[in-house]
Amino acid sequence: LLGSVNAPVITEPTQPVGVSSDFSRVLLQDGHSNGSTTVYEWVDGKTIQVAVGNKGEQLGVLAGSGPFDAVHIGIATGDTWHAMSSDGKRIFMSSRGAYLQPQGRELLYVRENPEQPQSPTDGQGHCTVATDACTVLISASRRKAPDPNGPYPVRFWGASADGSKVFFTSRLELTEDAYTGPADNRPNLYEYDLDTEKLKDLTVDKVDVNGAAVRGVVEISEDGSYVYFVAKGNLAAGATAGVPNLYVSHDGGAPKFIAVLANNKRYQELEESGDEVHIRQNLEEESHAPFSGDVRDWATGPQDNNAAMSSDGTKLAFLSERSLTGYDNERAQNSTVGCGEENMCSEVYVYDASSGGMTCVSCNPSGEQPLGPSSLNEVYDGETMQVRPHNFSEDGSRLFFQTYDALVPHDSNGLLDVYEYEGGHVYPISNVAGSYQSQFLDASANGGDVFMATSNQ
């Protein structure tokens, strides 16, 4: 059909990209044969346009991050994690531009109270009635003299559940203290507070040649108080410039270093080449590409389940192929299970922001090398995923994960099994002596019930 002269035009079907916690409001998006898109909200049986400005003009936008990856047919949804707030009254949208063309992709909006009448505006275009509908350009510059470079794509990474805080990256220097390199080479991570209308650069770095060089966001807590991200700049004590450093920022404070993660050879060679054009394309347009190393953990965003976080944001469970606690995680020679680059197997680490401590929960206590990679879950969803598995119990005391390794003496099958980590100890959840592998799917809020898939009886 694609090669036919008379091939039909493919139209993207309507899909849900957000929902309020009580399901009274649903955020929908669809594509049309002329290449345009529509973002609208379903409210108690009625549909309301949300892709509109304060003068009623139509905005060319997509929900969430918009088209950060290459899609030649239909629309690219991108990240939509909390693109709609839990009450359905705040909706985040990114402007849509052509693939590999930054023009038109530098705008990040929020539409507030979309079901209400449009608020009047003052002489500066600001809405004057807080409870009425209003569209705000979040990515607008706060500098007295705007950055002369650009336009550059903005990447929406997510928001707090109530939509009061939104996190995005941009190569533009949007605040007075921002620095993104001599020619805006690499992005910084910004936080916008809708309640105070303040924009803050969380990654100020004027020492490194390219600034913070933020690579991606790993997790955002539900209240937005904690954000975990990866950057190549040296933003805190213990970090190393030029490598993927994992950081955490609490309540908009200075970043705190956690660990150095594993890059992959393709990205590392590209970055060392100095080819700025292709480096930026990889950072901004090719985040859909296959990853090795730990790149997937930060490049695909919070909604892809590559990391997990306790409900208060103080504990982060993440994967790494680097040995972060001294355990030799090179794949055992007698294993036939594939691992990452140079046969390094990913392990599950837990970082506690309250104490600053880090523990490898999947490392074999016997010291034997791993039989295969450890991971958090087998839940893979598309770009409009709105529900996440509970790897952590709500209080953060229990963590569920899966591994090929025998973490207890009676684990004899050499297959993927489900384990629980609690109080410094590991406990098998699945039949670790069974003939088939088991995969973690989800758990109840308190961790009292665990759901898994297996062919074991």
Side-chain angles (χ1 to χ4, degrees), residues 81-421:
W81 184 245
H82 289 333
M84 170 187 271
S85 61
S86 56
D87 61 4
K89 295 183 179 181
R90 285 170 169 164
I91 296 168
F92 298 98
M93 305 170 289
S94 298
S95 55
R96 181 186 183 192
Y99 175 58
L100 294 181
Q101 296 297 321
Q103 290 80 5
R105 297 176 59 192
E106 74 276 17
L107 307 176
L108 176 61
Y109 299 94
V110 61
R111 180 71 172 172
E112 298 189 89
N113 307 313
E115 74 277 11
Q116 299 299 322
Q118 172 62 48
S119 169
T121 57
D122 59 19
Q124 286 73 44
H126 300 134
C127 296
T128 58
V129 181
T131 56
D132 282 349
C134 182
T135 298
V136 178
L137 178 60
I138 291 174
S139 58
S141 176
R142 270 64 175 182
R143 297 170 68 100
K144 294 179 180 178
D147 189 333
N149 297 318
Y152 299 133
V154 164
R155 171 76 184 270
F156 166 88
W157 288 96
S160 58
D162 64 0
S164 63
K165 296 180 180 179
V166 56
F167 300 88
F168 67 95
T169 51
S170 173
R171 283 194 282 137
L172 275 180
E173 296 171 355
L174 298 174
T175 59
E176 295 293 348
D177 58 350
Y179 175 73
T180 58
D184 291 356
N185 300 66
R186 303 288 186 274
N188 279 9
L189 176 63
Y190 295 94
E191 174 187 317
Y192 181 76
D193 190 316
L194 273 73
D195 294 336
T196 63
E197 300 182 352
K198 300 294 184 180
L199 180 68
K200 184 172 185 177
D201 185 349
L202 298 178
T203 54
V204 176
D205 182 359
K206 297 185 179 182
V207 176
D208 294 291
V209 62
N210 290 317
V214 175
R215 295 294 304 274
V217 173
V218 179
E219 284 289 351
I220 301 168
S221 63
E222 287 290 275
D223 63 0
S225 62
Y226 285 89
V227 55
Y228 294 86
F229 64 94
V230 172
K232 296 187 67 180
N234 185 349
L235 305 178
T240 303
V243 298
N245 300 286
L246 176 63
Y247 296 99
V248 60
S249 173
H250 180 219
D251 286 337
K256 185 177 181 180
F257 170 74
I258 299 174
V260 174
L261 301 183
N263 212 343
N264 68 19
K265 289 183 178 179
R266 181 172 71 88
Y267 273 75
Q268 185 171 336
E269 291 172 355
L270 180 61
E271 290 166 350
E272 292 173 353
S273 71
D275 186 344
E276 286 296 321
V277 173
H278 285 92
I279 290 173
R280 289 195 290 267
Q281 288 178 358
N282 274 269
L283 289 173
E284 296 172 348
E285 283 91 8
E286 296 183 11
S287 55
H288 68 289
F291 298 110
S292 57
D294 299 335
V295 177
R296 181 175 296 277
D297 296 348
W298 67 73
T300 55
Q303 72 176 22
D304 268 11
N305 301 324
N306 293 314
M309 186 170 47
S310 59
S311 59
D312 63 359
T314 59
K315 291 183 179 180
L316 174 74
F318 64 98
L319 309 178
S320 182
E321 292 178 9
R322 294 192 76 240
S323 177
L324 303 181
T325 56
Y327 171 69
D328 183 1
N329 62 318
E330 184 176 1
R331 189 187 67 180
Q333 292 184 355
N334 63 338
S335 173
T336 59
V337 179
C339 280
E341 288 185 340
E342 300 179 352
N343 289 324
M344 303 305 291
C345 297
S346 61
E347 301 294 343
V348 179
Y349 295 90
V350 173
Y351 171 77
D352 189 330
S354 300
S355 66
M358 184 167 58
T359 304
C360 179
V361 302
S362 65
C363 293
N364 196 321
S366 70
E368 294 183 5
Q369 291 175 288
L371 297 176
S374 299
S375 55
L376 289 169
N377 58 69
E378 290 294 328
V379 179
Y380 297 99
D381 281 294
E383 295 171 331
T384 61
M385 186 273 299
Q386 302 300 323
V387 178
R388 303 196 61 190
H390 297 82
N391 285 92
F392 272 110
S393 58
E394 281 191 342
D395 63 1
S397 64
R398 295 172 170 176
L399 173 71
F400 301 99
F401 64 97
Q402 54 195 25
T403 183
Y404 286 89
D405 293 315
L407 304 186
V408 292
H410 61 284
D411 186 339
S412 58
N413 60 14
L415 300 172
L416 191 67
D417 286 308
V418 179
Y419 277 86
E420 172 188 356
Y421 176 80

